[in-house]
Amino acid sequence: MHAEINCLYNASRKGVQSFRGMTMYSTLMPCHMCAGAIVQFGIARVVAGESSNFREANGFETLLRHGIEVIDLDLDDARQLLGRFIEANPEQWNEDIGR
């Protein structure tokens, strides 16, 4: 389960009734699937730590087209964290990104 979907699922289970107007924070720019969920849930802003590790299929444009404010912090720490995860878990990463 992608982190953004997991976040929405768990927040709903904890009683969050509406996500309208909320900000979602993510280490990595959300993928197309997660961007679609963000749009459907009415989240107003997405703050991503970085977008370079999965640039070819992130949902940046989808979010913008639907009026969602997107902030890419472009943090070196986030790139390194994700890079280490990808290197240590290539099978899981490839499964997550549909390869």
Side-chain angles (χ1 to χ4, degrees), residues 1-10 24-27 34:
M1 182 180 300
H2 289 205
E4 296 85 355
I5 302 297
N6 192 40
C7 173
L8 295 166
Y9 173 78
N10 284 316
M24 178 175 277
Y25 294 87
S26 180
T27 306
C34 292

Side-chain angles (χ1 to χ4, degrees), residues 8-76:
L8 295 166
Y9 173 78
N10 284 316
S12 295
R13 289 185 55 125
K14 298 277 186 200
V16 174
Q17 299 290 316
S18 174
F19 294 87
R20 297 237 173 261
M22 289 189 177
T23 299
M24 178 175 277
Y25 294 87
S26 180
T27 306
L28 176 66
M29 186 66 66
C31 70
H32 292 295
M33 175 184 71
C34 292
I38 290 165
V39 169
Q40 292 298 313
F41 277 80
I43 292 170
R45 179 182 311 111
V46 172
V47 179
E50 68 96 15
S51 63
S52 63
N53 274 303
F54 192 46
R55 192 172 301 281
E56 68 270 14
N58 71 44
F60 180 82
E61 294 296 327
T62 300
L63 296 170
L64 289 179
R65 271 195 313 274
H66 287 88
I68 296 169
E69 179 184 359
V70 181
I71 300 167
D72 182 358
L73 297 175
D74 194 27
L75 298 173
D76 190 50

